[in-house]
Amino acid sequence: MMDRAALQVILLGMFLMSATSDPVKKKKNVDIYSFYINSTVTSRYATTVITSRVANTLNESQEIQFEVKIPKNAFISKFRMTIEGKTYDGVVKEKEAAQQQYNQAVSRGQSAGLVKSVGRTLEDFKTSVTVSAFSKVTFELTYEELLKRRLGKYELLINAQPMQPVADFKIDVHIQEKPGISFLEVKGDLSTGDLANAIKTTRADKDFQVWVTFYPTQDQQTKCKSCGENGLNGDLLITYDVERQNPKGEIMVSKGYFVHYFAPSDVPRISKNVVFIIDRSGSMSGRKIKQTRLALLKILSDLDEDDHFGLITFDSEVSLWKRELLRATEANLENAKSFVKEIRDRGATDINAAVLAGVDMINRHPREGTASILILLTDGDPTTGETNIEKIMSNVKKAIGNKFPLYCLGFGYDVNFDFLTKMSLENSGVARRIYEDSDADLQLQGFYEEVAVPLLTDIQLKYPGGTNLTKTSFSLYFNGSEIVVSGQITDNSVESFTTEVIAVSKGSNVTYQDTIMTKDPSDVPPENENFMQRLWAYLTVKQLLDRQVLLKGQEKEDEKKEALKLSLKYQFVTTLTSMVVTKPQEGEVEVANKPKEGKGGDGYTADVDSDDDDSVINHHPAQRAFLLHSVPMDYPAAMDYSDAMDYSDAMDYSVMIHHPLPTYGSPTIHTTTPPAVQVHSNRFLLPVVGQSKPLCFDVPLPHKLRLLQDSASEFSMNGESLSENHGFHQIAIHYKTNHHLIISTKSISYHNGQDKVEILWGQELTQHNTDGVSLVVLENEMNVTMGNIGVVIISHKKDGVKFLWPAIWEHPKDVNLTGVLGKSDISYVKTEGSQTPTLKMKDKEVKTYLETVSDYRFHSTPVQECWLVPFQAVMEAEISDFTVTQL
């Protein structure tokens, strides 16, 4: 395996920004001698520049890599590399033109990069360049974003992990807010211990400006709680809000553009009518339904007594807790909580009937001076009743009639998020993805908190003398949020500019009117004087792209052309444009694309051109084409709409690049290859309680494995894998002496000693219940419960080949499970100070590497990082101890 020194500097983002790199072994032949993150926030518009200066200390050329992750809501607007005094700038082009240039580079055998990413809030930019012996390279990337106010504050999260202590390390944040900054707090891992002394906060101009600086010494960079020889590893969290003394809002005018921030807080809250529509279909089984119950119990406790609420659960049938909306009295809430505790998963998914029932419940109980809200939570497509998506959207839109918003929460990656997005946007709401993770209940609660306190309804904003306005009509304004409108002023010679806001507060019309003098001295520093024009362009492009899912025909084409025109003018990398980077190596080309949100994507890797037979790690940089993917982080998703698409099949290449397998006992070398070449092993994930990264281990192919066994209940599950194929082609489950279930990639056979049932994959929902055995077969998933043990078998198709993968979402209590999937008590501690990553497991030190694994427990096969360890280290036995002779 070729040992290539590679630099990775990664910028992470949660709502705002962050910079980091994947934890890898420190590169001794690469010196990051300067690392700056500079963020300037002017009236909520953040421009962030990360600059990394790197020296190649080898006496020969080597590839230096630069990798940046940015917030989903941000647009990259500039990238450049400077090598030996010559600068190479990225140029934003229309996506088709950039793709053609990319394809031409690939056809010539040159290096070409295509950036793609998905995740909660992150997107990824990555490039590399070959640097001569003892030479230096400077990378500089700029991105822009309008910060959003949520729950009464803006947040800046800056995460730093540059892989080595840096002699000149600086983070500078400069916040300028015209009305003044009401509060600002700095916390996080990097604000503790000795590092707290490296943070300095300076206020000036009556709190109109704040500087936050973080200048740790090299010695300090190794001594924080999560730091080590690889330097900083942690975050700074900066939260702030602005003074809001003027209920009419904050208006700024500059060079023919204006922005209006409207966030009144001196109005009484409006009592609400909220109906929760909860999917309880079979696919919600296990952790999903449990987390949904937990979130609902907390949300019910947070309802105000003058609120009215309803609960609807649905599968193939729709169940109403009560036929009418009830006031949130203590007695009603206790009864509702009892109902929630009994919600169980079952059946198919009739979204159409459920949402219409919720609309009907609100329509039948109108209350003057209140705000009505529908919240739908589902994890799948409509599978029964009305299943035509266009018809469902038409039915819902007609029933709601623009009277109240519908918020759609999509649980996991199997949900049709594009459908939920369209349906919510058509009804004045938004769609939010709830990620399948340990904090899913907190994500649900967090969304509800954002819409829990409505203050105004039917908000209309008017700007006489304004043109090219961003969105000016809003159905609801919630406490802690903010409405932002920007536009151009038609006559720059006017001396004043007037704004008018008309809204409804508790059933009564209210008006906010304000006038400002346009000739007043600007509060914007000269270096930021163009920010308002760029803010307008950013917000306009965002909203034009959001509306694309709702428009059709010529209107859609016209708005798409306008969004493209502005993206090119302001050099924004959007879903319509790409950034082309021409590199010094014989004109090599890389193309950075703004990705669309996909169905999955936990991992991030370089994919090789499938025509090559060699592993990507054996290619010379100037002889490969690669696709880059992203890593989603565990941060709450933004409220805004994100474009949705099926994630590229290239995600499946994520297990191709590996280090040598760490040794434990006899040394073993693990190799993996592009899809065109053989698959050598199955990689299993093993979550570890209390650790953010799971363990993973490989089992060579082919094999017949004892996957799960409980001798006390006479339960066993075995699986058989074939050479060169992923997963399992057949899984057998046995229970007691007479229950036998054989699952293959084509069909399912169940025999209970008397009757035999044959089921084909892809049929309509099939259920079978008898004698402590429950079988539920969905299109590509089978839920099996035998006794008190439940497993899920997922059917996948990859590279044209079908395979199966088992998942256990909950280990039953007081059951001693054995087998490859039976391990539940594993733990580890990462050992600090070692040059090679080492984990302490069962009082033994095990060498490891940070790797990626496709998580086949999910249909979307998200890719995530894991610590790769030998099978023997986890199981404390040999693979032969888990093999069976027959299924």
Side-chain angles (χ1 to χ4, degrees), residues 41-45 147 149 152-154 175-184 203 207-210 239-246 249-250 252 261-263 265 481-482:
V41 184
T42 304
S43 291
R44 289 69 142 185
Y45 194 69
L147 309 186
R149 187 173 185 247
K153 61 186 177 182
Y154 307 96
I175 303 172
Q176 306 164 87
E177 297 289 355
K178 182 179 178 181
I181 296 171
S182 60
F183 83 89
L184 183 141
R203 292 174 177 258
D207 288 337
F208 295 156
Q209 298 190 70
V210 173
T239 62
Y240 80 96
D241 198 16
V242 301
E243 296 287 355
R244 301 183 187 274
Q245 297 177 356
N246 185 359
E250 174 192 349
M252 295 186 69
Y261 298 100
F262 181 70
S265 57
S481 65
E482 185 173 61

Side-chain angles (χ1 to χ4, degrees), residues 539-585:
L539 195 56
T540 300
V541 171
K542 276 284 183 184
Q543 294 179 358
L544 286 171
L545 294 176
D546 286 353
R547 287 202 297 267
Q548 285 289 298
V549 298
L550 298 178
L551 301 178
K552 295 180 181 179
Q554 190 59 44
E555 185 180 10
K556 182 173 184 174
E557 283 302 310
D558 290 344
E559 292 210 357
K560 182 178 179 180
K561 288 179 181 178
E562 181 63 21
L564 175 61
K565 176 183 174 182
L566 290 174
S567 298
L568 293 173
K569 178 178 179 179
Y570 292 94
Q571 290 287 284
F572 291 150
V573 180
T574 70
T575 54
L576 303 177
T577 58
S578 299
M579 177 173 282
V580 178
V581 182
T582 302
K583 298 161 62 175
Q585 284 84 23

Side-chain angles (χ1 to χ4, degrees), residues 288 379-381 411-416 436 599 858-860:
K288 286 184 188 176
D379 75 332
D381 290 342
F411 208 141
Y413 280 110
D414 295 330
V415 69
N416 187 336
E436 291 185 52
K599 282 190 172 183
F858 299 98
H859 291 289
S860 55

Side-chain angles (χ1 to χ4, degrees), residues 635-680:
Y635 305 141
M639 185 84 135
D640 289 359
Y641 161 67
S642 297
D643 292 322
M645 61 174 266
D646 288 343
Y647 196 54
S648 168
D649 287 338
M651 274 301 304
D652 295 335
Y653 301 179
S654 56
V655 294
M656 297 192 321
I657 307 173
H658 298 295
H659 298 282
L661 187 66
T663 58
Y664 186 91
S666 58
T668 306
I669 298 297
H670 172 76
T671 58
T672 51
T673 55
V677 189
Q678 299 178 0
V679 178
H680 294 292

